């Protein structure tokens, strides 16, 4: 198509496309640039806010640790190695300050001595940890980078504070693991759903907290250009490409200079510029529709030739110059008229799109205003945070007082003055309730000039208002002028108190007292009320604890006294038993000796005059008194075993066996016993005398229970079973039925008649008793007719 | 000094035991005579030569004292303590012959300086055997100390 129409049409189309495209491009580019700048600025504000919050939080936590480390009680417990008491102090810190996941104390060697919670690492050497070395060397508090806790198995940040003696030497190191959860909350506070991410890194670039998710492992962030910049100590903004997909990011970073950490806020450029992109799409649509219109105009124009064309061109120039209301006059139905109408349509479209752009700009303006409002709100919040921090500082002081004191009176004394100051009232009182008596007792009262500490005045419970409401935790506001006239009300009025507030102190669900404060006139501000409620809650816990502590102390003393009484009673009983066995051994045996001696004398001197029956009777008297003597001797040995003081030493079993064989030599020879000892025998922990008695009884037992024609063959050996040594005494005797194996170790149990196997029935009971005193065990393996293997088991002395 | 001219002082309150011990001495054919006293005070009186034991020809100082521990009036241990503190008699060989085997008694007796500690056996033959050995050791083999006459 080489016609003029075609050429003109093409020319007009290109012209319109070019102008509309230029306008759209310019609008999109400018809007994107403005959005980018705004995003960077807002990122920077957020980073500043977060860095301020983190710094405050860490400084607060550090102040708590320093205060705990300076407490004389902790220093005293650490110096005197009283770790269980030190642990009690740690428990107090952990309970009152949620900032710490756990706290522990290391001695100067780096060994963990007390820890709350995760006590399982107590006793472990942590001397190689950076926080321990730094605290020991610099004798100053030290904040570590992020690392993986051994006990908790997750990343923590440790805060180490040296516990110092008065002369500046280090007594130990107090360490607290900062709660990373709170850090996570701090960085997540300013996140909106606009793609913004905030994270916190330590001085080595290790990730401490991230708004995108909990930090579960160690992550080195130094590869990020923003982290690199913030660790250099600069605060600025930066546009950079992320390492992964290479997405362009808008970053802002602020270092926390006091401990070398950094806060980074990033946001993908695409997210920040999303409104501009949407605008671009709208403009492209407009361009397309313009092009379609332009083609139509071009065709019409080509038909009507130059004049109307010039008119249209003039009009389009004016439109391009900004006179969007310009239209061309249209008459008739020809192409030029069509072109005129088309042109007018185009002008309408341009006016429309211009209108849309103006609206966009207005919207942008509105967004801007919104951001400014947000910033104002943030500033207000920061101011509130500062106030809160001041209040917290005083509350911390109060908490310190609570922690250090040990009795309810001391708690009230240590804190009440500051509570009054914090509330800004002339008078504050801590009362304890005696609900049964319907009375209230002053624990302490603070006025402008002085602090009075109880035991104080008692007055009716009615002055505290509605007790049931107090029990539910509701505070009471009392108008003194409306109270019935009483000495107490008069005294209050005289001291200038016309209205007072009663805040209940509740511990463990029980109403124990109240914190009350009064002034010349009400009402009290919400701030005062919330402070009083908070302080009352802390005081209630501390007082309940102190009462508990006093009760435990009293009970421990009572227990101690009871133990002493019991011990005295036992000692007396033991002495009585001693005296008793002494008389048995002396007095019971004397007549026995006489019976026996004279019967033997009778047999010897007058034997010929007795017939065989008379001689038999006399023999029976002798035998019976022998048996009774043996019985008394065995009983004495048995009772002596319970009373002998047993001390365990390494004992050579071979020499004890030799002694026992020597002691029983006559009896063994008489029975023709053959004794084999499998030397060497393992040494055991025992009391030599008691063990000797055990072995002698086992040997006597082994040679006694023999078949009538059997010659006793005894074998003795030891075998080692872990920490224990079993000493075996094996015989070739008559053996024991399985059902009797338990019974034979009991006193006076006999399996055979005295005629067949004489004995007292106490021999094996002595073995059992003796081995129990030595902390060992005894037993037997046997089968009837197969002999028996008796064993005793004792701790090995060859460790 | 010929030991067999001096008596053995037997301090024993039980008439049965005294009779049996004296019989055992007789059966063992002891050269020395046996003087019997019945309680701790009598023993002290005999050793001091107080009446009725003032005649040293009839009641000479013993060469050995056999001492029971459980005695009326003054216990065997008290007699032993007194003997060991007396300037004249402190070297007198004293053998405890008693029925108590309690280690308290044994140790206390040795602490007070007893020369030997024997328990009364049950059965006359055992007693006779003991008396024979006592005689052999203390009266024949043992070299006695000088005891100055008061």
């Amino acid at each position: 198509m080489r016609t003029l129409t075609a050429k003109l049409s093409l020319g007009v189309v290109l012209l319109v496309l070019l102008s509309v495209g230029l306008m759209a491009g310019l609008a999109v580019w400018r809007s994107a640039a403005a959005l980018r700048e705004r995003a960077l600025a807002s990122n920077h504000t957020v980073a500043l806010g977060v860095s301020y919050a983190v710094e405050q939080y860490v400084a607060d936590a550090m102040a708590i640790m320093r205060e705990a480390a300076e407490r004389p009680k902790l220093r005293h417990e650490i110096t005197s190695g009283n770790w269980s008491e030190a642990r009690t102090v740690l428990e107090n810190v952990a309970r009152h300050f949620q900032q710490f996941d756990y706290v522990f104390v290391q001695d100067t060697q780096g060994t963990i001595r007390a820890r709350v919670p995760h006590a399982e690492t107590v006793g472990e050497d942590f001397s190689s940890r950076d926080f321990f070395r730094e605290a020991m060397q610099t004798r100053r508090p030290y904040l570590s980078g992020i690392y993986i806790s051994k006990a908790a198995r997750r990343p923590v940040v440790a805060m180490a504070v040296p516990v110092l003696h008065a002369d500046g030497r280090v007594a130990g190191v107090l360490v607290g693991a900062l709660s990373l959860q709170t850090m996570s909350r701090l960085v997540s506070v300013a996140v909106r759903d606009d793609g913004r991410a905030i994270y916190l890194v330590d001085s080595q670039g290790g990730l401490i907290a991230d708004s995108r998710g909990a930090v579960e492992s160690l992550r080195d962030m130094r590869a990020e250009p923003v982290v690199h910049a913030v660790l250099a100590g600069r605060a600025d903004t930066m546009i950079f490409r992320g390492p992964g997909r290479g997405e362009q990011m808008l970053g802002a970073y602020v270092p926390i200079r006091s401990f070398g950490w950094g806060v980074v806020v990033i946001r993908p450029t695409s997210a920040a510029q999303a409104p501009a992109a949407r605008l671009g799409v709208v403009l492209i649509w407009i361009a397309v529709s313009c092009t379609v219109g332009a083609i139509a105009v071009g065709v019409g124009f080509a038909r009507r030739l130059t004049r109307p064309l010039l008119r249209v061109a003039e009009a389009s120039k004016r439109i391009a110059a900004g006179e969007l209301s310009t239209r061309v006059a249209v008459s008739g139905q020809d192409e030029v008229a069509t072109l005129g109408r088309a042109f007018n349509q185009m002008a309408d479209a341009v006016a429309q799109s211009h209108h849309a752009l103006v609206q966009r700009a207005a919207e942008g303006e509105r967004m801007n205003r919104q951001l400014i409002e947000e910033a104002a709100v943030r500033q207000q919040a920061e101011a509130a945070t500062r106030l809160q921090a001041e209040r917290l500082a005083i509350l911390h002081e109060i908490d310190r007082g609570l922690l250090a004191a040990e009795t309810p009176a001391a708690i009230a004394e240590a804190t009440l003055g500051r509570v009054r100051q914090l509330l800004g009232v002339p008078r504050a009182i801590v009362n304890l309730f005696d609900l049964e008596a319907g009375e209230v007792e002053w624990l302490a009262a603070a006025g402008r000039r002085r602090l009075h500490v109880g035991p104080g005045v008692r007055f009716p419970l009615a002055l505290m208002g509605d007790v049931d409401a107090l029990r539910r935790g509701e505070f009471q506001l009392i108008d003194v002028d409306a109270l019935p006239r009483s000495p107490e009300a008069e005294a209050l009025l005289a001291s200038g108190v016309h209205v007072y507030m009663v805040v209940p102190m509740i511990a463990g669900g029980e109403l124990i007292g109240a914190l009350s404060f009064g002034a010349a006139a009400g009402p009290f501000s919400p701030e005062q009320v919330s402070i009083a409620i908070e302080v009352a809650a802390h005081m209630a816990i501390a007082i309940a604890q102190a009462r508990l502590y006093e009760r435990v102390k009293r009970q421990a003393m009572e227990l101690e006294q009871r133990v002493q009484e019991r011990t005295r009673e036992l000692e007396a009983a033991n002495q009585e038993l001693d005296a008793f066995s002494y008389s048995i051994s002396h007095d019971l045996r004397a007549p026995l000796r006489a019976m026996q001696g004279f019967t033997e004398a009778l047999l010897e001197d007058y034997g010929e005059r007795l017939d065989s029956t008379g001689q038999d009777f006399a023999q029976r008297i002798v035998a019976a008194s022998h048996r009774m003597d043996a019985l008394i001797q065995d009983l004495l040995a048995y009772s002596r075993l319970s009373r002998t003081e047993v001390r365990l030493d390494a004992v050579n079993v071979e020499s004890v066996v030799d002694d026992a064989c020597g002691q029983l030599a006559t009896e063994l020879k008489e029975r023709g016993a053959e004794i084999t000892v499998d030397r060497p025998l393992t040494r055991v922990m025992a009391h030599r005398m008691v063990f000797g008695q055990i072995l002698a009884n086992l040997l006597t037992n082994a040679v006694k229970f023999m078949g009538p024609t059997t010659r006793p063959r005894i074998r003795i050996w030891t075998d080692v079973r872990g920490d224990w040594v079993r000493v075996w005494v094996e015989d070739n005797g008559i053996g024991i039925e399985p059902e009797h194996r338990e019974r034979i170790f009991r006193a006076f149990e006999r399996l055979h008649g005295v005629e067949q196997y004489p004995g007292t029935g106490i021999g094996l009971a002595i073995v059992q008793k003796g081995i129990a005193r030595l902390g060992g065990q005894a037993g037997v393996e046997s089968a009837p007719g197969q002999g028996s293997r008796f064993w005793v088991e004792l701790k090995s002395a060859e460790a | 000094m010929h030991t067999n001219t001096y008596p053995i002082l037997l301090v024993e309150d039980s008439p049965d035991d005294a009779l049996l011990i004296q019989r055992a001495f007789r059966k063992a054919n002891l050269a020395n005579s046996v003087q019997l006293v019945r309680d701790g005070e009598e023993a002290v009186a005999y050793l001091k030569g107080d009446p009725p034991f003032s005649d040293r020809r009839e009641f000479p100082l013993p060469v050995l004292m056999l001492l029971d521990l459980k005695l009326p009036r003054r216990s065997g241990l008290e007699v032993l303590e007194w003997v060991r503190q007396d300037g004249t008699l402190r070297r007198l060989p004293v053998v405890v012959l008693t029925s108590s085997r309690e280690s308290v008694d044994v140790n206390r007796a040795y602490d007070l300086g007893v020369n030997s500690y024997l328990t009364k056996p049950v059965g006359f033959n055992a007693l006779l055997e003991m008396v024979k050995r006592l005689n052999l050791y203390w009266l024949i083999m043992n070299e006695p100390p000088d005891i100055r006459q008061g």
Side-chain angles (χ1 to χ4, degrees):
Chain A
M1 272 204 324
R2 300 214 161 214
T3 62
L4 184 62
T5 312
K7 280 181 186 166
L8 281 170
S9 306
L10 194 65
V12 170
V13 167
L14 282 177
L15 194 73
V16 173
L17 260 184
L18 197 67
S19 62
V20 172
L22 262 175
M23 272 165 59
L26 192 69
V28 169
W29 180 75
R30 281 191 56 184
S31 148
L35 284 167
R36 210 161 49 224
E37 285 308 310
R38 221 149 44 207
L40 281 171
S42 109
N43 279 1
H44 189 68
T45 313
V46 168
L48 262 176
V50 171
S51 76
Y52 173 78
V54 169
E55 191 170 14
Q56 274 297 311
Y57 176 77
V58 173
D60 274 0
M62 189 58 101
I64 290 163
M65 289 300 280
R66 281 171 120 144
E67 178 60 31
E70 276 164 28
R71 286 188 55 199
K73 182 169 166 57
L74 182 66
R75 186 172 62 209
H76 173 74
E77 306 305 359
I78 289 175
T79 312
S80 50
N82 206 344
W83 304 113
S84 68
E85 284 299 318
R87 187 184 148 81
T88 312
V89 177
L90 293 188
E91 274 167 358
N92 271 331
V93 174
R95 189 163 44 242
H96 285 278
F97 301 107
Q98 309 296 323
Q99 286 95 322
F100 301 104
D101 279 341
Y102 54 86
V103 284
F104 58 86
V105 168
Q106 289 174 278
D107 62 17
T108 51
Q109 303 306 308
T111 307
I112 295 191
R113 293 306 200 161
R115 172 154 172 162
V116 178
H118 305 307
E120 62 266 32
T121 51
V122 167
E124 287 194 37
D125 181 1
F126 273 36
S127 60
S128 60
R129 294 294 160 96
D130 60 335
F131 51 76
F132 174 73
R133 285 205 312 271
E134 285 292 328
M136 286 295 289
Q137 274 169 17
T138 62
R139 289 184 291 163
R140 292 165 65 83
Y142 173 75
L143 180 68
S144 85
I146 191 155
Y147 70 99
I148 299 285
S149 156
K150 192 176 170 193
R153 290 195 195 79
R154 56 189 156 76
V156 292
V157 172
M159 197 167 259
V161 183
V163 178
L164 299 176
H165 288 289
D167 57 9
R169 279 181 305 116
V170 182
V173 177
L174 173 66
V175 184
L178 266 183
S179 164
L180 293 188
Q181 258 186 336
T182 314
M183 298 275 199
S184 279
R185 273 205 304 280
L186 285 177
V187 298
S188 303
V189 149
V191 172
R192 306 280 176 272
D193 56 352
D194 56 6
R196 187 188 284 158
I198 306 168
Y199 57 88
L200 177 65
V201 293
D202 69 13
S203 57
Q204 300 304 309
L207 184 64
I208 294 172
D210 193 339
S211 68
R212 289 167 292 193
V215 177
E216 303 289 358
S217 57
L218 295 186
R219 251 182 83 193
D220 189 347
M221 302 295 284
R222 270 177 299 191
E224 301 262 19
V226 262
V227 173
H228 198 72
V230 79
L231 292 183
R234 294 195 303 272
D236 205 346
T237 59
M238 168 188 275
I239 299 176
F240 66 101
R241 290 211 170 270
R245 285 177 302 160
E247 195 184 9
Q248 198 189 50
M249 307 291 269
L250 303 175
Y253 47 90
V254 174
I256 302 174
R257 293 208 174 80
S258 49
F259 39 89
W261 292 3
V263 176
V264 173
V265 179
I266 55 169
R267 190 175 174 194
T269 309
S270 58
Q273 291 180 347
R278 279 197 300 275
L279 178 64
V281 170
V282 171
L283 289 176
I284 284 165
W285 275 111
I286 292 167
V288 168
S289 54
C290 283
T291 308
V292 172
I295 288 168
V297 170
V299 170
F301 187 76
R303 289 188 184 159
R304 290 290 300 272
L305 292 175
T306 45
R307 222 175 58 85
L309 227 162
L310 279 172
R311 221 162 58 214
V312 173
E314 178 64 22
S316 74
K317 256 188 222 160
R318 277 159 62 188
I319 287 172
E323 292 177 38
L324 294 179
S325 58
T326 308
R327 299 290 184 272
V328 289
V330 179
S331 59
Q333 293 297 318
D334 62 358
E335 292 90 337
V336 176
T338 314
L339 172 66
R341 274 195 291 277
F343 178 84
N344 286 346
Q345 275 172 6
M346 182 206 75
D348 286 346
V350 168
Q352 247 172 20
S353 85
H354 178 80
H355 183 67
L357 270 174
V358 168
Q359 269 184 343
R360 282 282 154 198
E363 197 183 326
E365 189 69 20
R366 202 165 44 74
M367 272 168 65
N368 219 0
R369 269 204 308 279
Q370 200 179 331
L371 277 172
I372 289 165
E373 276 166 21
E374 269 179 26
V377 167
R378 201 171 299 127
Q379 270 174 2
Q380 271 177 0
E382 277 167 14
T385 307
R386 260 198 306 283
L387 255 173
Q388 184 78 8
E390 280 168 24
R391 195 175 126 187
L392 265 177
I394 298 186
L395 280 173
H396 279 169
E397 267 183 59
I398 290 169
D399 272 349
R400 267 174 235 146
L402 289 179
L403 276 179
E406 281 183 348
T407 64
I411 287 164
E413 185 180 5
T415 53
L416 194 58
R418 260 178 255 163
V419 172
R420 190 194 69 80
Q421 199 186 340
L422 186 62
L423 289 169
V425 292
R427 210 167 161 77
I429 300 176
V430 180
N431 297 303
L432 290 183
F433 288 5
D434 185 347
L435 292 173
E436 278 177 23
E439 281 187 332
V440 176
E441 185 180 351
W442 271 18
L443 189 58
R448 279 217 171 85
R449 253 160 276 148
R450 62 194 197 93
L451 181 72
H452 172 85
V453 180
V457 189
R458 286 178 85 95
F459 51 88
L461 197 54
L463 284 175
M464 295 285 101
D466 180 356
V467 176
D468 283 331
L470 288 174
R471 211 177 260 130
R472 287 195 298 273
E474 295 164 15
F475 58 81
Q476 298 285 302
L477 197 61
I478 306 219
D479 182 357
V480 183
D481 295 302
L483 284 176
R485 292 180 66 87
S486 65
E488 289 85 10
E490 295 295 328
L492 280 168
L493 290 172
S495 65
V497 172
H498 287 264
V499 59
Y500 62 91
M501 177 162 274
V502 181
V503 181
M505 298 198 297
I506 296 175
E510 193 194 344
L511 177 64
I512 59 169
L515 170 67
S516 63
F517 56 98
F524 297 104
S525 71
E527 176 80 2
Q528 282 173 309
V529 173
S530 78
I531 288 171
I533 288 173
E534 190 166 349
V535 171
H538 284 220
M539 259 186 194
I541 291 167
I543 287 173
Q545 239 176 348
R547 283 173 161 184
L548 217 59
Y549 176 69
E550 282 179 345
R551 206 164 75 204
V552 166
K553 217 158 74 177
R554 205 171 51 239
Q555 276 171 352
M557 266 162 64
E558 279 171 19
L559 207 63
E560 175 70 16
Q561 213 173 349
R562 279 228 293 281
V563 166
Q564 277 175 5
E565 274 169 26
R566 272 304 135 73
T567 310
R568 272 200 297 278
E569 281 169 23
L570 275 175
E571 277 167 0
N574 229 356
Q575 273 171 9
E576 213 171 294
L577 201 65
D578 276 348
F580 178 67
S581 39
Y582 183 93
S583 330
I584 287 186
S585 78
H586 195 277
D587 295 355
L588 273 185
R589 292 183 72 211
L592 259 186
R593 267 198 315 279
M595 272 165 64
Q596 182 146 29
F598 287 114
T599 317
E600 279 177 8
L602 185 71
L603 279 171
E604 210 175 304
D605 295 355
Y606 302 95
E608 311 91 65
R609 296 197 217 166
L610 290 171
D611 64 5
S612 62
T613 314
Q615 286 196 359
D616 180 46
F617 288 170
Q619 290 291 2
R620 280 176 190 276
I621 296 174
V622 172
S625 51
H626 263 303
R627 276 205 305 282
M628 186 158 172
D629 187 56
L631 191 58
I632 291 172
Q633 293 288 10
D634 277 358
L635 272 176
L636 280 174
Y638 186 76
S639 88
R640 211 179 290 130
L641 269 180
S642 332
R643 287 177 290 126
T644 305
E645 203 172 306
V646 167
R647 223 186 57 230
L648 298 185
D649 291 313
V651 167
N652 185 343
V653 180
E654 284 177 32
S655 82
V656 178
V657 168
D658 292 345
D659 282 359
C661 289
Q663 220 176 337
L664 303 170
T666 327
E667 196 181 342
L668 296 177
K669 209 173 150 194
E670 230 167 60
R671 293 178 187 268
E674 180 191 311
I675 309 236
T676 322
V677 180
D678 292 2
R679 291 169 204 268
L681 300 178
T682 314
R683 299 191 321 147
V684 297
M685 295 305 291
H687 183 255
R688 199 187 163 91
M689 195 272 277
V690 175
F691 188 43
Q693 178 128 39
I694 290 169
L695 268 179
N697 283 26
L698 284 177
L699 278 173
T700 312
N701 198 70
V703 297
K704 192 199 283 180
F705 295 99
M706 283 292 149
T709 56
T710 321
R711 183 170 170 231
R713 278 201 312 279
I714 314 294
R715 188 172 149 239
I716 297 171
W717 75 98
T718 52
D719 80 58
V720 180
R721 303 171 163 234
D723 290 346
W724 296 85
V725 175
R726 213 172 246 208
V727 184
W728 293 87
V729 178
E730 183 188 60
D731 63 50
N732 57 336
I734 55 174
I736 304 155
E737 308 278 346
E739 61 266 32
H740 298 315
R741 277 179 214 152
E742 295 279 320
R743 224 151 65 102
I744 53 169
F745 286 103
R746 285 186 229 140
F748 300 114
E749 288 285 355
R750 301 181 52 90
L751 301 181
H752 308 281
V754 177
E755 301 285 318
Q756 199 180 355
Y757 294 107
T760 58
I762 301 177
L764 285 176
I766 287 176
V767 170
Q768 181 78 303
K769 181 102 184 173
I771 204 74
R773 286 303 311 277
L774 301 183
Q777 287 183 312
V780 63
E781 291 177 2
S782 178
Q786 313 259 311
S788 307
R789 286 172 170 191
F790 280 88
W791 56 263
V792 291
E793 207 169 68
L794 288 164
K795 279 266 186 198
S796 172
E798 325 216 326
Chain B
M1 172 166 148
H2 293 285
T3 54
N4 56 11
T5 60
Y6 294 97
I8 293 166
L9 181 61
L10 175 63
V11 192
E12 175 60 69
D13 67 319
S14 154
D16 289 344
D17 279 351
L19 196 54
L20 285 171
I21 292 166
Q22 281 173 318
R23 179 167 180 267
F25 276 128
R26 217 166 42 244
K27 291 264 171 184
N29 293 320
L30 234 71
N32 306 63
S33 64
V34 174
Q35 292 281 359
L36 175 69
V37 289
R38 298 289 185 180
D39 62 51
E41 270 182 14
E42 253 185 58
V44 172
Y46 185 102
L47 291 171
K48 279 163 85 177
D50 288 347
F53 306 106
S54 25
D55 185 353
R56 278 286 179 233
R57 273 170 307 180
E58 199 181 338
F59 303 108
L61 274 179
V63 67
L64 176 74
M65 176 160 69
L66 286 179
L67 185 62
D68 194 5
L69 289 185
K70 202 163 176 247
L71 293 170
R73 298 152 87 89
R74 204 184 257 213
S75 80
L77 288 172
E78 281 172 291
V79 174
L80 178 60
E81 196 171 8
W82 177 84
V83 167
R84 287 297 177 241
Q85 281 169 359
D86 187 86
T88 314
L89 296 163
R90 63 192 149 89
R91 296 183 195 132
L92 174 68
V94 179
V95 172
V96 164
L97 182 58
T98 182
S99 49
S100 164
R101 239 185 202 161
E102 294 296 305
S103 54
V104 198
D105 286 339
V106 180
N107 293 339
R108 181 81 187 122
Y110 277 107
D111 287 347
L112 291 174
V114 81
N115 299 82
S116 183
Y117 191 109
L118 299 171
T119 47
K120 293 173 189 166
V122 176
F124 184 75
N125 288 332
L127 181 66
L128 182 59
E129 191 61 32
M130 175 186 278
V131 166
K132 279 179 179 167
R133 283 171 195 226
L134 197 83
N135 178 36
L136 180 68
Y137 185 83
W138 284 106
L139 303 175
I140 298 172
M141 290 168 70
N142 190 47
E143 200 58 49
D146 281 336
I147 297 175
R148 262 179 293 130
Q149 302 284 326

